[in-house]
């Protein structure tokens, strides 16, 4: 992969909005017993927003894959609540990307994370599945 084809610079960001469904609760997915936003779902919201921040800045045939996340889920949110996630690219080290993300319900912060993603060639990455 040639660096000059990349247009990834720190400061890139994306915002996503999600409405919590009953199928996204801790009780439903069995990560807990309460009908509140499940932490694994919040993690997925954050990853989706980080993907969104990077996807239009990659050469054709490349994508990013997540490989590490540090997530603090600090407040509950009910079904039908609207969650806004803002993700910002804070560091680029070759093919490794580091994001910070904040999730809010209105003005209340419900979570924050640092997330690492790796830029990969889609075909090469998927070929690893058939080599087993």
């Amino acid at each position: 992969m040639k660096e000059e084809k990349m247009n990834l610079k720190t400061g890139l960001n994306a915002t996503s909005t999600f409405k919590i469904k009953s199928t996204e609760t801790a009780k439903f997915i069995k990560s807990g017993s309460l009908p509140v936003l499940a932490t694994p779902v919040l993690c997925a919201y954050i990853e989706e927003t980080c993907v969104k921040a990077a996807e239009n800045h990659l050469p054709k045939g490349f994508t990013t894959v997540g490989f590490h996340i540090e997530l603090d889920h600090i407040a509950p949110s009910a079904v039908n609540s609207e969650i806004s996630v803002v993700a910002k690219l804070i560091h680029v080290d070759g093919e490794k990307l580091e994001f910070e993300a904040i999730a809010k319900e209105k003005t209340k912060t419900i979570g924050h994370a640092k997330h690492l993603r790796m830029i990969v060639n889609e075909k090469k990455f998927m070929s690893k599945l058939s080599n087993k």
Side-chain angles (χ1 to χ4, degrees), residues 6-66:
M6 297 291 191
N7 194 16
L8 289 160
K9 294 182 173 43
T10 57
L12 285 176
N13 63 73
T15 301
S16 300
T17 303
F18 305 91
K19 187 173 182 181
I20 302 170
K21 301 175 191 131
S22 61
T23 55
E24 297 174 321
T25 64
K27 185 174 183 175
F28 186 87
I29 70 167
K30 303 192 184 325
S31 68
S33 60
L34 299 174
V36 296
L37 177 63
T39 300
V41 174
L42 178 58
C43 181
Y45 288 173
I46 289 168
E47 284 203 75
E48 181 178 333
T49 307
C50 291
V51 168
K52 184 177 172 182
E55 67 186 352
N56 292 325
H57 302 278
L58 297 170
K60 185 176 172 84
F62 287 83
T63 191
T64 62
V65 294

Side-chain angles (χ1 to χ4, degrees), residues 67-125:
F67 68 94
H68 180 81
I69 191 161
E70 295 174 27
L71 170 61
D72 293 315
H73 189 174
I74 59 175
S77 297
V79 171
N80 293 321
S81 296
E82 193 171 277
I83 304 302
S84 175
V85 177
V86 176
K88 182 178 178 182
L89 181 60
I90 61 167
H91 186 72
V92 178
D93 183 9
E95 295 156 347
K96 186 170 127 181
L97 307 176
E98 182 178 353
F99 293 89
E100 280 184 343
I102 297 175
K104 292 187 174 192
E105 179 185 345
K106 297 181 183 171
T107 59
K108 173 180 77 172
T109 298
I110 65 157
H112 49 84
K114 283 205 175 178
H115 180 44
L116 301 178
R117 301 190 67 79
M118 186 69 67
I119 300 168
V120 298
N121 177 294
E122 294 171 352
K123 286 183 182 177
K124 284 183 183 177
F125 187 83

